Amino acid sequence: MTHTDEQRLLHQARQGDETSAAAYGELVRRYQTAVFNTAYRLLGRRVEAEDAAQEAFLRAYQALDRFDMERPFAPWIKRITTNLCLNWLESDRVKPQLLAAEMGRDDEPVSMDDWAQAAPSPEQTLVRQEQATRLHEAIWALPPHFRAAIELRHFQELSYEEMAEVLERPLSSVKSDLFRARKLLAEKMKES
Amino acid sequence: MADFQLPNYSVTQLLNYMLMKEFNEDYLHEYLDGTLDDETRRAVEAHLARSPEARAQLAELQALFASLEALPELPLGTDLSVAVVTAIGQGTATSTTLSAGVARPLPRWVWGLLLGQVVMAIVLLGRVWSALVDWWGTGQAIATDWLATVQMSLLGWVNEFWLGVTAVWQQPNLPTLSIDLPTAQWALLFGLALVVWLAGNRLLFTSD
């Protein structure tokens, strides 16, 4: 989807007529995997991540009037998702996931088959699966603000200043969170 | 000796050199993020050239960065657009505060509880229906009597209570509350209380 196509859909979605929902549905289809993955990295549970992604899209639809149409939609919806997930984590609506063994059937983490679908070649599948699982578990073991710092910097590629704006925290705190989160992750990865 | 070259440095370079004497790992993070100014970056590079420990820390961080970058996206098992479009169509996304319940239906036990309450309310209201019709038929008189009975009972109880409190201040002898009402009117009172309870539950479950 080109930026022009995206803008056309956004304008259509904002009009509030009978075609709005369909146009917005097209945008949802385009970005739902990325938004779901953002939520999944933060929440650590598939079911909750799907719920969060869905709610994030609804909140974004509500706020479309305030969205600058010249900007790309993906970073905006991901930021909404990040804040939503952080709110859920802070309000204990979603319990942090520490160990896969603690989870029930509905909250199972990514299975090997899931990762296999995302892996580029069969030869690398096993190594990538193990590494991805370890890294995800290490991320989920971090406190929520550390997780958010990793998400915003490494997956959404925001600057320190942008991160501080999204998280509504002082720049020094955000940098401190990010550096400490990386250190913890590096130690975890080294241990395993 | 490396210190021998210091006089050739600019003031900023000298400051950076001194900064690196107390090397902080945070510089490595900023170095990898590309947020250092040229002078500090050069000072970090100089420190890296001198310190195997700093190089090991950098390599560790670089490995982490690579792992994060290589983290594959998990495929989404369901198409969220259907639920989102449906919610928009129902107008749920246009409310001032989007209820969290939009995306998540209430648990089944809550619906079971509500169903049970509705059934109980219907049964109880059915039970008191004839009394309700009778009461409606007799009209104002019975209502007045009923209210007067309740009022007198309450006033009597309050009066006795106050006398008890004032007579034996330390150990009040509390009277027993007794409202003399026919059975049907008790059932009517109970049915009305149940309706209030149901309405209260409805408000409770729909507020988030």
Side-chain angles (χ1 to χ4, degrees), chain B residues 86-171:
Chain B
T86 305
I88 291 170
Q90 290 169 347
T92 46
T94 55
S95 59
T96 310
T97 53
L98 185 69
S99 164
V102 170
R104 277 168 298 288
L106 287 171
R108 282 181 189 171
W109 68 267
V110 174
W111 289 114
L113 180 66
L114 282 174
L115 183 65
Q117 290 175 347
V118 169
V119 170
M120 281 170 61
I122 290 170
V123 168
L124 281 166
L125 285 173
R127 171 70 182 81
V128 300
W129 184 252
S130 57
L132 189 67
V133 171
D134 289 345
W135 177 81
W136 190 255
T138 52
Q140 189 75 30
I142 195 165
T144 308
D145 287 348
W146 185 73
L147 286 172
T149 306
V150 171
Q151 187 182 5
M152 290 308 291
S153 298
L154 285 172
L155 282 173
W157 183 81
V158 169
N159 188 42
E160 282 184 47
F161 173 78
W162 179 248
L163 287 174
V165 168
T166 51
V168 191
W169 191 255
Q170 296 300 323
Q171 293 179 323

Side-chain angles (χ1 to χ4, degrees), chain A residues 11-171:
Chain A
H11 277 291
Q12 212 170 332
R14 201 149 77 165
Q15 280 173 353
D17 57 21
E18 64 278 0
T19 62
S20 295
Y24 194 68
E26 188 60 39
L27 282 168
V28 173
R29 271 188 292 280
R30 170 70 178 82
Y31 294 112
Q32 59 184 354
T33 302
V35 170
F36 162 72
N37 273 274
T38 297
Y40 185 71
R41 283 189 294 269
L42 288 163
L43 300 177
R45 293 168 190 261
R46 178 185 268 279
V47 175
E48 275 88 352
E50 286 177 0
D51 283 354
Q54 190 176 316
E55 187 155 337
F57 277 115
L58 287 170
R59 289 190 179 192
Y61 182 78
Q62 245 190 324
L64 267 187
D65 287 343
R66 299 195 296 274
F67 177 62
D68 180 359
M69 295 292 183
E70 298 306 311
R71 290 171 178 267
F73 182 70
W76 185 60
I77 183 68
K78 284 181 188 175
R79 287 180 204 189
I80 290 174
T81 310
T82 304
N83 275 323
L84 178 71
C85 292
L86 261 185
N87 288 340
W88 283 15
L89 286 168
E90 284 169 353
S91 65
D92 289 334
R93 182 168 177 159
V94 178
K95 289 180 183 170
Q97 174 193 310
L98 297 178
L99 294 170
E102 292 174 2
M103 295 181 298
R105 183 183 172 83
D106 289 344
D107 295 326
E108 282 177 5
V110 185
S111 71
M112 290 298 185
D113 290 342
D114 288 333
W115 289 122
Q117 290 177 48
S121 67
E123 293 79 21
Q124 296 174 319
T125 301
L126 188 62
V127 175
R128 291 192 67 172
Q129 283 169 352
E130 287 175 354
Q131 193 178 33
T133 304
R134 278 206 318 271
L135 188 53
H136 260 116
E137 284 177 357
I139 291 172
W140 294 326
L142 294 172
H145 268 99
F146 286 16
R147 253 182 272 180
I150 291 290
E151 169 64 31
L152 292 174
R153 177 66 197 158
H154 287 275
F155 297 97
Q156 299 183 32
E157 299 176 345
L158 300 192
S159 68
Y160 298 153
E161 289 77 13
E162 288 169 328
M163 288 168 66
E165 193 184 323
V166 171
L167 297 172
E168 294 179 339
R169 302 189 68 209
L171 182 62

Side-chain angles (χ1 to χ4, degrees), chain B:
Chain B
M1 290 175 67
D3 288 348
F4 185 72
Q5 296 175 6
L6 281 176
N8 295 327
Y9 286 0
S10 68
V11 174
T12 315
Q13 284 174 318
L14 184 59
L15 283 173
N16 280 333
Y17 180 82
M18 290 168 71
L19 203 61
M20 292 304 131
K21 282 288 191 186
E22 294 177 4
F23 187 76
N24 185 331
E25 196 187 325
D26 289 358
Y27 285 119
L28 292 181
H29 292 271
E30 297 218 37
Y31 177 71
L32 288 175
D33 285 331
T35 55
L36 295 175
D37 59 68
D38 289 346
E39 295 291 344
T40 315
R41 183 174 50 77
R42 276 196 288 272
V44 169
E45 284 168 351
H47 180 81
L48 284 167
R50 282 194 305 272
S51 168
E53 191 188 338
R55 284 200 299 276
Q57 285 178 322
L58 184 74
E60 211 171 78
L61 282 176
Q62 282 173 323
L64 175 67
F65 279 37
S67 297
L68 287 167
E69 198 173 346
L71 201 61
E73 282 211 322
L74 177 67
L76 180 60
T78 180
D79 183 2
L80 300 178
S81 67
V82 178
V84 172
V85 168
T86 305
I88 291 170
Q90 290 169 347
T92 46
T94 55
S95 59
T96 310
T97 53
L98 185 69
S99 164
V102 170
R104 277 168 298 288
L106 287 171
R108 282 181 189 171
W109 68 267
V110 174
W111 289 114
L113 180 66
L114 282 174
L115 183 65
Q117 290 175 347
V118 169
V119 170
M120 281 170 61
I122 290 170
V123 168
L124 281 166
L125 285 173
R127 171 70 182 81
V128 300
W129 184 252
S130 57
L132 189 67
V133 171
D134 289 345
W135 177 81
W136 190 255
T138 52
Q140 189 75 30
I142 195 165
T144 308
D145 287 348
W146 185 73
L147 286 172
T149 306
V150 171
Q151 187 182 5
M152 290 308 291
S153 298
L154 285 172
L155 282 173
W157 183 81
V158 169
N159 188 42
E160 282 184 47
F161 173 78
W162 179 248
L163 287 174
V165 168
T166 51
V168 191
W169 191 255
Q170 296 300 323
Q171 293 179 323
N173 185 21
L174 299 180
T176 307
L177 176 62
S178 172
I179 300 174
D180 186 22
L181 288 177
T183 308
Q185 289 181 24
W186 268 115
L188 178 64
L189 196 63
F190 185 58
L192 288 172
L194 195 64
V195 170
V196 172
W197 178 56
L198 278 170
N201 273 352
R202 170 67 183 158
L203 289 173
L204 186 70
F205 287 131
T206 52
S207 64
D208 188 49

